[in-house]
Amino acid sequence: MKGSARVDMGGGVLLERAVACCMSDGVTLYSDHYYPPSGGESPTLLMRQPYGRDIASTVVYAHPAWFARHGYNVVIQDVRGRGDSEGEFYPFRHEGRDGAETVAWLSDRPESNGRIGMYGFSYQGLTQLLAAAEQPEGLECIAPAMTACDLYSGWFYQGGALRLASTLGWGLQMLKEDARRLGLREASDMLERAWANLPAQFLETPYAGHAVFRFDDLPTYLRDWIENDEPGDYWAALDVSKSLAKIKIPALHVSGWYDTYLRGSVDGFDALRKQAAHQYLLAGPWIHIPWGDRIGPHWLGAEANLDTDMLLLRWFNHWLKGTDEFDAEPRIRHFALNEGKWHNAEDWPSVRRVLYLHSNGRANSSKGGGLLTDAAPEIAEPPDTFVHDPEVPVAAPGVGPVNQAALELGNNVLVYTSAALESPVHVFGAVEVELHCATSAAHADLVVKLVCVKPNGDAMFVAIGVARSSRVFAAFAADTPHRWRFALEPTSCVFAAGDRLRIEIASSAYPLFDRNPGTGIAARLADSWTWQRSTQTIFHDAVRPSAIRLPVAAPEGGL
């Protein structure tokens, strides 16, 4: 409904639906406006999103009326080509200019005092960063949550491997709306069936041949994401990776240790704080949706139910109302997994503890003899070998602190475990991996997981990292040892006294990441006709010591 009268939302808040804003190219965008009880000129909170402005990200945030009751104009806008807004939707492409022009429009409205903040998570997080890079007058602070500054490495790819499940799943979700807007009934029906059986979509090979690509009238962005499998101009034109220096305003970055875009959020915070003042990070134990004390059957602790709405309100009060109530906040506030408590930090720890891999040549599965110790190898320990079969990939770890014990029984996974801890060890930051590995194929992946093993044998997933040989090495040869160095996604986890640290090494985590076919053909084009099994050998001897480096927060524990 466009141009409707103001609706009483209770508590003095009024809602005006479908307010029109014309962009410089003639496209009209529509937004819902919530006005505070006080009337008069007030600061404004803006969210720009592609999912329907009536939803307003209320899956994780309080309803806009709640923020309005605290003295803000709240504006929820449909981005170009979504909801009621005109134009064509191509994710990220228009959000910088459209966001900046919307800020300028809001600044001149009679209810505005000219001070504007933006909030939102996921796609709505990047709309903030893109608008901020345009430096519109009046935009004074942002609160980007669970998003990325660099789309290639923080959203769609990790270590050169496509984040298959999230990329294909989100792409199909967005294309459903496009099919309906364009009146493409056949495409819409196919997409609805695919959405109803999403796991089956990840199994389709080659995934670049998915049925959705038969419809030429649909937008091309999903195809573009999987075809642009290397960083470059395509990605830089969509994100803020090349324009970070233009973002000067304060930002509250929110991330989740089990969120799909964890690395994107943390890397964005780290990148921006190097050149912009007043950057803060809140790192909780959460997945993408919801934010609370549970992930499926896993209870995270009572403190995981942080009131993020009140935190957000304090953030905007500080910067838009001058209350100074955020002054006492630490630069980093992080939740420690396996302990269930929040910690404060001003930076990542500088101490890194090195643990070395050892075995008698059979570290396959948790039944093998793989060890992690403080001591570097001093003798010619025999290497460990496992076989990677793309047709039977190692499964992804699951969502949240999922028990890996059953998965660790397979011989296609190498397992290295420390002795029981004598005192707690708090791992905080990104674990660094250095592995000396030879592969029988000229194209290979290494996937490493950090796991917390409880005294009863349960193995809690903590963090994961992946590296694809074509991205790690300028020149890579089969049957030749190479030193693989890469980082896992960051975490904060307290390994308690009696727990054991563990890493798993495999060559897949499917469908979290796409499968490396091992043949040189692009992963998106591969199927069972072009897959190749490979044998991976991990060396850990005096000449080639394989190890992990743990960022340890004080106080440091002992192994």
Side-chain angles (χ1 to χ4, degrees), residues 395-475:
V399 180
V402 178
N403 190 354
Q404 305 297 292
L407 184 146
E408 292 170 349
L409 295 175
N411 280 344
N412 53 356
V413 179
L414 300 182
V415 177
Y416 300 87
T417 310
S418 76
L421 301 176
E422 297 177 359
S423 57
V425 173
H426 188 174
V427 176
F428 173 45
V431 173
E432 296 174 351
V433 174
E434 181 175 334
L435 300 175
H436 294 267
C437 177
T439 70
S440 65
H443 301 270
D445 290 353
L446 286 184
V447 177
V448 176
K449 287 189 290 185
L450 176 67
V451 174
C452 176
V453 183
K454 305 303 291 182
N456 68 354
D458 286 346
M460 181 186 85
F461 169 65
V462 178
I464 194 168
V466 61
R468 180 155 289 177
S469 59
S470 57
R471 288 288 302 136
V472 176
F473 303 101

Side-chain angles (χ1 to χ4, degrees), residues 356-364 381-386 413-416 433-439 445-448 481-482 484 486 503-507 535-541 544-547:
Y356 294 91
L357 280 60
H358 300 271
S359 82
N360 59 4
R362 193 173 67 87
N364 305 78
E381 295 182 5
D384 293 303
T385 303
F386 69 97
V413 179
L414 300 182
V415 177
Y416 300 87
V433 174
E434 181 175 334
L435 300 175
H436 294 267
C437 177
T439 70
D445 290 353
L446 286 184
V447 177
V448 176
H482 293 270
W484 298 63
F486 58 98
I503 65 165
E504 302 171 12
I505 302 174
S507 281
T535 301
Q536 333 295 37
T537 303
I538 302 292
F539 299 90
H540 43 80
D541 51 43
R544 295 164 295 193
S546 292

Side-chain angles (χ1 to χ4, degrees), residues 240-320:
V240 293
S241 59
K242 301 299 184 183
S243 54
L244 286 172
K246 296 181 179 179
I247 301 177
K248 299 296 185 183
I249 59 176
L252 173 60
H253 306 259
V254 179
S255 63
W257 295 134
Y258 292 114
D259 177 45
T260 304
Y261 310 126
L262 165 62
R263 174 164 287 175
S265 294
V266 173
D267 285 354
F269 163 72
D270 281 335
L272 281 173
R273 69 182 177 140
K274 293 176 181 177
Q275 50 85 34
H278 308 301
Q279 303 295 306
Y280 294 82
L281 174 65
L282 175 71
W286 310 305
I287 56 175
H288 203 57
I289 305 170
W291 309 347
D293 65 351
R294 290 189 179 274
I295 300 176
H298 309 287
W299 186 59
L300 305 170
E303 290 190 25
N305 268 333
L306 184 71
D307 192 339
T308 51
D309 291 321
M310 283 303 301
L311 184 73
L312 203 60
L313 186 64
R314 290 175 47 236
W315 170 257
F316 288 124
N317 287 346
H318 179 96
W319 295 108
L320 301 181

Side-chain angles (χ1 to χ4, degrees), residues 131-145:
E134 299 290 321
Q135 300 181 327
E137 185 176 352
L139 183 59
E140 298 193 9
C141 64
I142 56 177

Side-chain angles (χ1 to χ4, degrees), residues 351-355 425 427 431 450 501 548-552:
V351 175
R352 288 196 174 265
R353 186 160 197 170
V354 182
L355 297 181
V425 173
V427 176
V431 173
L450 176 67
L501 286 113
I548 62 171
R549 291 175 173 81
L550 305 172
V552 180

